[in-house]
């Protein structure tokens, strides 16, 4: 994720005392943050009136004691944080320790969906129903172990549901994957991709295709730097391996978000 204006990167450690902000029961800390704290978009813009950008959204952050803000800077909405005293802004990565999830990056991706139409899929391998309503683009590397694991999950998903099509694009991250990826793109062969996942030797490419370079360039422009990475129909990016349950969950969540966006 490219957050050029962010100058401070932090690791937020949440201990038991911080949970007093949201603890239930009688006395101090009873109730919710909303009972005592509020922040409107106009108020946030007044606070940040001397800073670059416009606050377009405010909500309570997952981290106790902070608001999460959406700040419009040119054509991007960037996440930032403000403490309950309204005196300190935090700009940077917030990491949830129990699972290592980067909450700032997740917020950024949700606020800035990519233009799916900008990703050509004429070179993609197809897995699933060509007429499916849900077409998901998959960036994969044939020598990536997590890509191999995800590929097995994709096959389970299309066996379970007929409304899915995965459009699999070769994006070699490892140098050893480059020639293999060219062979797969030239042959348009799912069998060769699966053979590569099993570390079998493939023949040399029989064509001179620019698809790999094009895919790498597009991925870089979209902030996609690792494999496997999924691009959902509404432009949300979901990097990394997913279990079958998690995969179907994010696909169905995407459908809900897309429906709301179209209303």
């Amino acid at each position: 994720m490219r957050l050029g204006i962010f100058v401070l990167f932090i690791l937020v450690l949440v201990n038991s005392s911080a949970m007093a902000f949201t603890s239930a029961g009688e006395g101090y800390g009873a109730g919710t943050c909303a009972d005592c704290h509020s922040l409107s978009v106009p108020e946030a813009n007044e606070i940040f009136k001397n800073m670059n950008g416009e606050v377009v959204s405010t909500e309570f952050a997952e981290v106790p004691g902070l608001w999460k803000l959406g700040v419009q800077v040119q054509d991007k909405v960037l996440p930032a944080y403000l403490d309950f005293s309204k005196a300190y802004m935090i700009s940077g990565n917030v990491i949830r320790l129990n699972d290592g999830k980067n909450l700032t990056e997740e917020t950024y991706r949700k606020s800035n969906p990519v233009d799916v139409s900008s990703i050509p899929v004429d070179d993609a391998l197809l897995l699933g129903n060509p007429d499916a309503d849900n077409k998901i683009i998959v960036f994969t590397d044939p020598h990536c172990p997590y890509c191999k694991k995800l590929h097995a999950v994709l096959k389970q998903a299309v066996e379970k549901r007929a409304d899915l099509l995965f459009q699999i694009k070769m994006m070699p991250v490892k140098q050893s994957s480059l020639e293999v990826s060219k062979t797969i793109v030239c042959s348009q062969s799912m069998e060769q991709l699966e053979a590569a996942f099993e570390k079998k030797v493939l023949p040399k490419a029989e064509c001179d295709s620019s698809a790999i370079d094009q895919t790498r360039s597009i991925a870089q422009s979209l902030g996609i730097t690792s494999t496997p990475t999924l691009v959902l129909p509404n432009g949300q990016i979901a990097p990394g391996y997913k279990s079958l349950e998690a995969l179907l969950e994010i696909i169905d969540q995407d459908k809900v978000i897309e429906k709301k966006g179209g209303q």
Side-chain angles (χ1 to χ4, degrees), residues 207-218:
C207 72
D208 184 17
S209 173
S210 62
I212 300 296
D213 291 337
Q214 183 185 53
T215 295
R216 282 174 157 178
S217 177
I218 290 172

Side-chain angles (χ1 to χ4, degrees), residues 37-84:
H37 303 279
S38 64
L39 178 68
S40 66
V41 169
E43 182 184 5
N45 275 303
E46 179 63 23
I47 293 171
F48 291 103
K49 63 183 178 181
N50 294 322
M51 299 187 67
N52 184 34
E54 177 187 0
V55 177
V56 295
S57 66
T58 65
E59 61 181 291
F60 289 111
E62 181 176 324
V63 181
L66 297 179
W67 278 288
K68 180 171 67 178
L69 313 177
V71 183
Q72 182 87 42
V73 179
Q74 296 180 354
D75 61 341
K76 299 294 183 183
V77 178
L78 306 177
Y81 302 90
L82 180 69
D83 79 312
F84 279 179

Side-chain angles (χ1 to χ4, degrees), residues 110-166:
K110 288 181 178 179
S111 301
N112 300 278
V114 304
D115 179 6
V116 178
S117 66
S118 70
I119 306 174
V121 292
D122 54 320
D123 62 310
L125 303 182
L126 305 183
L127 178 62
N129 177 9
D131 298 320
D133 293 333
N134 299 301
K135 295 180 173 64
I136 299 101
I137 299 172
V138 184
F139 289 86
T140 196
D141 181 318
H143 285 169
C144 157
Y146 285 103
C147 297
K148 175 184 176 180
K149 287 183 63 178
L150 180 63
H151 188 74
V153 172
L154 302 184
K155 294 175 73 172
Q156 293 173 14
V158 297
E159 288 176 3
K160 187 172 183 177
R161 288 175 44 169
D163 65 334
L164 302 176
L165 174 67
F166 296 101

Side-chain angles (χ1 to χ4, degrees), residues 233-254:
N234 76 341
Q236 294 294 320
I237 295 177
Y241 167 77
K242 306 285 185 293
S243 66
L244 178 60
E245 180 181 358
L247 174 66
L248 297 179
E249 181 179 354
I250 64 170
I251 290 172
D252 290 336
Q253 284 179 346
D254 175 81

Side-chain angles (χ1 to χ4, degrees), residues 83-100:
D83 79 312
F84 279 179
S85 74
K86 303 178 183 178
Y88 300 96
M89 184 188 83
I90 299 170
S91 174
N93 289 325
V94 174
I95 311 296
R96 189 167 60 203
L97 294 181
N98 65 356
D99 59 4

